Structures are given as C-alpha cells and as structure tokens.
Amino acid sequence: MNIVLLGYGKMGKVIEKIALSRGHNIVARIDVNNRSEFDALTAADVDAVIEFSHPLSAYDNVKSCIEKGIPVVSGTTGWLEKKPELEALTLEKGSAFFWSSNYSIGVNIFFKLNKMLAKLISPQKQYSVSTTEIHHTEKKDSPSGTAITIAEGLIENLAGKEKWINNEIPAENEVAIWSAREGKVPGTHIVKYISDIDQIEILHQAHGREGFALGAVIAAEWIADKKGVFGMDDLLAE
C-alpha cells in the first residue's frame, strides 16, 4: 500500500517502522513544516492516510482526507466534539473514515471487559467506581481519549451514572477520571470498584507505542477498499 503519515512525531515514526516492516510504501511524511505537500496529493497517489497529529489540527487534517476521497485512519484525541460533522461528511462524499481512541488490540479487549464487569457490578450498590489514566508528560489532552471511552462504557452499563468528570470529587451520578502525567509512561489505565469490605480492579499497561502503531497500520490495511465510518469494533468483528 501507499500510505501517507499525517503527523510525524514519535507515534508517526513508530507507525512508519511497522508499516515498512509489513511491506508498505510511505508516500509522504507530513507535519506542520510541509503541510503543502499533502495538499498536492490525490486519491490516485495514496491508498490510506494514518493521522496522528494534534487536537488543534486533527479536524482539518481528517476533513481534507475525506474531501479528497482518501481513506483516513485517525488516532488523534481531544477534538471529538467535531467528529460527528466529519462522519456526516464521510457519508455524503462516499469516503472512508476510521477513528479509535486507542488502536491497541489489548486495550480494545480491555474496553469489552470493562463493559462486562460494569454490567455485573451494576446491581451491587455497595461499590463506588473510578478510573485512573497515567501518560507521559508530552501528551496534550487530558483526560486521554482511552479514559473517556472507558468512562463511557461505565456510564452505559452502571445504573445511575450519567456523565464523567476529570480530577474532581464525583457526585453520585458521575464517574471520576483521575488523570496524571508522569515521565515517559506510554499509557496505563485502571478501573477500580471499592466497597467497605473489598476492592475489584482491572488494569491495562502499555509497554511501548508499538501496540498502538500496529493496530493503526492494520486499520489502514483493512479500510483501504471500504466506504463509510468505522472503528475498532468493526475491524475486530471480522
């Protein structure tokens, strides 16, 4: 495949390494210094774009791909209030847009486990729930997109929970996300249920960026011949 990397920071470089190892060609490596190079590309030049940029750039980056008719896989978080607009544009233009808060296969299994556990615990009112996320100090958004996905899974399956809050003491109808930025931590997510007599905890701890990068490349391979709006549930279902 001919792949464009839209965003060429640390994550982009790991994605590049994995894409090359799987036999793909990197057509262009785009960052803030050479954005005009992407404007010159067309769907004839590119099979898929993998977009890991910045919350302030993601909307324009993804929109450009959709308008060009180039399948785009995006992993940028912190801009999701505009995502429904781009999903509608994707369907209007007959393009392909794949987004996930986290491309790690392990994390996506964790998402499903989180929902299952919440459903089991929901009738047990003695437990209070919270979720913690820890990332490296260079991460721009807080809470992480992964933490938000986890919290949404809790809200969906725990009776009485209506919204999440970040780094605040929660009310009865709220799920607390506790966010920390430490050193070079690739990503740790913890969900805790605490009662007076015991504690139940599930944890996912990334050892590096490779798991996220591999998932993004697999998503690009998967979406190249498709039209529509997709996520990791669609990929894992096949």
Side-chain angles (χ1 to χ4, degrees):
M1 290 175 58
N2 290 327
I3 294 174
V4 168
L5 301 178
L6 197 42
Y8 194 56
K10 291 180 179 178
M11 188 66 181
K13 291 177 174 65
V14 179
I15 291 171
E16 176 183 36
K17 179 181 176 182
I18 288 177
L20 292 173
S21 75
R22 292 171 70 88
H24 302 305
N25 178 43
I26 305 301
V27 174
R29 301 155 182 84
I30 307 296
D31 61 19
V32 294
N33 299 312
N34 65 337
R35 184 63 171 73
S36 61
E37 289 184 27
F38 179 71
D39 295 336
L41 293 170
T42 70
D45 306 310
V46 186
D47 295 309
V49 168
I50 301 179
E51 194 274 346
F52 277 75
S53 60
H54 187 282
L56 297 178
S57 308
Y59 173 83
D60 289 335
N61 287 341
V62 174
K63 185 178 180 183
S64 293
C65 295
I66 293 168
E67 290 176 336
K68 286 173 178 285
I70 302 173
V72 55
V73 171
S74 174
T76 308
T77 57
W79 64 281
L80 297 189
E81 68 281 355
K82 295 183 176 180
K83 181 167 167 275
E85 179 184 334
L86 294 185
E87 292 175 339
L89 182 64
T90 300
L91 299 178
E92 176 189 332
K93 298 289 187 180
S95 296
F97 173 31
F98 190 115
W99 183 87
S100 178
S101 62
N102 195 304
Y103 283 87
S104 161
I105 301 300
V107 166
N108 281 274
I109 293 171
F110 185 88
F111 288 156
K112 293 181 183 298
L113 177 61
N114 175 56
K115 290 182 178 182
M116 187 185 307
L117 180 57
K119 191 174 294 186
L120 288 171
I121 286 185
S122 185
Q124 310 301 325
K125 304 305 180 186
Q126 67 270 33
Y127 289 97
S128 63
V129 64
S130 68
T131 182
T132 300
E133 60 102 348
I134 308 168
H135 282 87
H136 52 86
T137 54
E138 295 176 5
K139 185 166 178 59
K140 301 295 190 293
D141 55 320
S142 178
S144 69
T146 301
I148 293 172
T149 301
I150 290 168
E152 289 173 343
L154 295 172
I155 293 164
E156 180 184 332
N157 291 282
L158 290 173
K161 300 300 183 184
E162 298 174 354
K163 63 179 182 177
W164 57 264
I165 57 171
N166 191 44
N167 288 342
E168 297 179 37
I169 302 297
E172 189 68 28
N173 67 333
E174 296 172 333
V175 172
I177 301 174
W178 300 101
S179 301
R181 298 290 175 263
E182 300 176 2
K184 298 182 179 180
V185 178
T188 298
H189 293 88
I190 307 166
V191 178
K192 292 182 182 180
Y193 293 91
I194 301 175
S195 75
D196 291 339
I197 59 173
D198 61 7
Q199 176 172 319
I200 302 169
E201 180 176 309
I202 56 173
L203 175 149
H204 182 276
Q205 188 171 53
H207 295 158
R209 290 184 169 89
E210 287 76 10
F212 311 125
L214 175 60
V217 174
I218 290 171
E221 294 168 349
W222 183 85
I223 199 179
D225 60 351
K226 294 178 173 61
K227 306 292 183 185
V229 176
F230 305 101
M232 286 298 285
D233 282 348
D234 302 298
L235 188 156
L236 294 174
E238 293 193 356

